[in-house]
Amino acid sequence: MAEEQQVNNPLHGKTLEFILKQLVWHYGWPELGTHVRIACFTNDPSLKSSLTFLRKTEWARKKVEKLYVNTFH
């Protein structure tokens, strides 16, 4: 039943790391920082520091997930 509910969820099965890597590949750090205005994307960005911040900060993670869906789906 839970699997049926996830059929239309474009984030199903995608890790936060995968989502962030795809966005960085597509936009690059500077442009990503203009779409989602958080310091970890604009001040000496790295995958590790960004993932740490996004895992702790729900509002920022939601913005990144929304950008991923709007960009790729």
Side-chain angles (χ1 to χ4, degrees):
M1 180 101 174
E3 193 67 33
E4 291 175 15
Q5 294 173 343
Q6 296 295 324
V7 172
N8 294 324
N9 181 353
L11 298 175
H12 180 67
K14 301 204 173 39
T15 64
L16 185 56
E17 182 176 2
F18 174 82
I19 291 168
L20 185 57
K21 283 181 177 179
Q22 291 295 305
L23 289 171
V24 171
W25 172 82
H26 185 77
Y27 291 111
W29 288 111
E31 190 176 348
L32 183 57
T34 64
H35 288 285
V36 182
R37 302 194 57 84
I38 53 177
C40 64
F41 291 169
T42 58
N43 299 334
D44 194 26
S46 75
L47 190 64
K48 183 179 178 182
S49 66
S50 297
L51 285 171
T52 299
F53 178 77
L54 292 172
R55 287 181 178 130
K56 293 179 181 179
T57 315
E58 185 177 355
W59 65 265
R61 186 180 69 247
K62 296 280 186 198
K63 286 186 175 192
V64 168
E65 290 172 345
K66 183 177 179 181
L67 178 60
Y68 175 83
V69 170
N70 291 340
T71 301
F72 296 108
H73 292 276

